[in-house]
Amino acid sequence: MEVTMVISQTVNAVFVPSLRTKRQSPKASLRKQQKVTSSEFCVLLQSCIEHRSLKKGRELHTLIREAGLERNRDLFPKLLKLYCTCGRVDYARELFDRIPERNLDTITWTAMISGYVGSGASNHALTLFVEMFGLGLEPDSYSFSALLKASADLSLHRLSTCLHSLIVKFGYGSGLSVGNALIHAYSSFGDVCSAQKLFSRMPDRDIVSWSSMIQACTLAKFFAESRTLFSKMQFEEHVKPNEITLVSLLPSCSFFSSLGKGQSVHAYAIRHGFDSNLIVCSALIAMYSRCGDPEAAFKVFNRLKKINIIVWTSMMEGFSINGRFQLVLELFKLMQDQGLKPNSITLIVILSACSHGGLIDEGMRIFEGMQEKFGIVPSTEHHACVVDMLGRGGRLKDAQFFIEKMKIPPTGCVLGSLLGACQVHRNVSLGERLANQLFRLEPYNESNYVILSNIYASVGRWDDVGRVRRLMALKGLTKPIGCSWIELKDKVHVFGAHDRSHPESQRIYGKLEDLSQMIVKAGYVPSTKYIFLDVEEDDKKRLLCSHSERLAIAFGLLKAPPNVPIRIAKNLRVCGDCHDAIKLISKVVARRFIVRDTSRFHHFSQGSCSCGDYW
DNA sequence: CTAGGGTTAG
């Protein structure tokens, strides 16, 4: 409110005197008006743009038109930008179309193009660019920056490379902003190599270049490289990280599932006053949660005074992946009590929490009330959550019925959820039908093949297992190799299944043997149904004992300082038998284990797990 | 008229 008042005062202060001068000597005032007022208008417009004030902006526009300055070279592009940033690209386009093409210059075309990109209508931006190029107008560095963003938004890798060569041709190859836009575009395609090549050749680099390069590494899962860049920028090139740098870096810190790295970034945020920035905080909350420390995440959450929907969603997601499902629902209620409405992503998080927590009735109630209560039309993702919820709870028939009654066509993710449930509940015939449907729908999604092959294996149909595996090979798909890792003293130790490559392998297997004896005494019976290989029972039992997660656990027990929880991460789902075994190990050695799966955490303590064996 | 940012089912 204050802002609009300031603007209107300024408008009056600037405009009223010029109105008065209008009635005096016309010639003198005209000159005066154009010289002084157009730049003053420019400042005012800028202020409307910054505060996204459409109302004041329209008033200003009227004043500008009356002053005969609408088509001023500086003001016209600014007017376009005003409408675009206020969410009215249509007004901007109308204004743009009122001027004959031949009278438009590159700057104006580019303003309109950027406006489309900024409003998420990148396709229109490209169409306009083609028109502009066809008229023989040369794009400038601003045009290229906007176009690169458009090509990134539309996932057009080829277009980005074409633009890159055009950029070089037009002589903008060493420009800072264009370079930054190129890094961003390449990183959005996961093409870190091109981004890195460009970055290393840039004559000038600023905070945006560094942050974008860090972001590129993080997105491509080059986590160690992100961190290296972070220290390099500070200690070798003396560039000061800002909040955006931290947000680009933070996801890298949770990968190894050890807290140290993320904590140091948090400390940096506190030292530099970034710890009340909501975006930094939601990244911190996600980082702590993904390191298996929801309490630390909650501390960050709790000291915020004003919380937006994304921060709430991050916190609820954090509790959810750490198995605190009741807490998720309590927070969800609290959030609504405070007058905040969930968005579509919040509801996915909530439904997924209900699914993983086995809170089926509650979940169904929330799903059914989505539209009426929150005004959100359920998308395929929400439907997939419900299918997962019913399927996980063993209600396969209900899940099938639910899919049949869907008002929108079921996508791969909806059917995939049900296929996953078929694996858990060993339903071969339904699994087969779904898998065949899915192979047509998404032929290159390897997880569907893996699940079907696991379903066959679980009932001993080894010929069919082989058939699915050959089908995968034919399509060039592979099953990811399982491994687990543990970080100790800044070093990551990775283990594969039955791995003997670690220098301390002998001690690890010795420890495993001890542990096996202890848990057998405590009542452990190996469950060979989790071995999806065609081998003898005894071999299966032996294979179970040296799964990668157990090797990492044994190593952790040998090496980690006493009394701290042992944190393990795995790139696949924890095997069900290992899950049983780790529960018992946590009891017999009186130790907490925090194991991260592909999708969630298992907090093992005193013989039980936070997931309640339902996952 | 330019560049980079947080939450998303299996």
Side-chain angles (χ1 to χ4, degrees), chain A residues 143-189:
Chain A
S143 330
F144 284 122
S145 296
L147 290 165
L148 282 167
K149 192 168 179 345
S151 73
D153 288 347
L154 299 169
S155 308
L156 301 170
H157 194 178
R158 280 274 295 153
L159 178 64
S160 289
T161 41
C162 291
L163 284 168
H164 194 169
S165 39
L166 272 177
I167 285 164
V168 174
K169 199 174 154 198
F170 282 101
Y172 298 111
S174 53
L176 180 62
S177 304
V178 175
N180 290 342
L182 273 167
I183 293 179
H184 171 70
Y186 282 128
S187 90
S188 74
F189 307 118

Side-chain angles (χ1 to χ4, degrees), chain A residues 341-396:
Chain A
K341 276 206 167 177
N343 62 23
S344 164
I345 296 174
T346 316
L347 283 161
I348 290 174
V349 168
I350 298 294
L351 290 172
S352 154
C354 292
S355 170
H356 289 270
L359 309 163
I360 302 178
D361 296 337
E362 188 65 36
M364 287 312 290
R365 246 199 313 280
I366 292 169
F367 175 81
E368 277 153 13
M370 268 175 68
Q371 195 156 359
E372 202 186 327
K373 228 171 142 188
F374 310 120
I376 295 168
V377 182
S379 68
T380 47
E381 286 88 348
H382 298 107
H383 286 87
C385 287
V386 172
V387 171
D388 183 64
M389 187 157 67
L390 295 168
R392 207 178 281 270
R395 291 164 55 174
L396 295 182

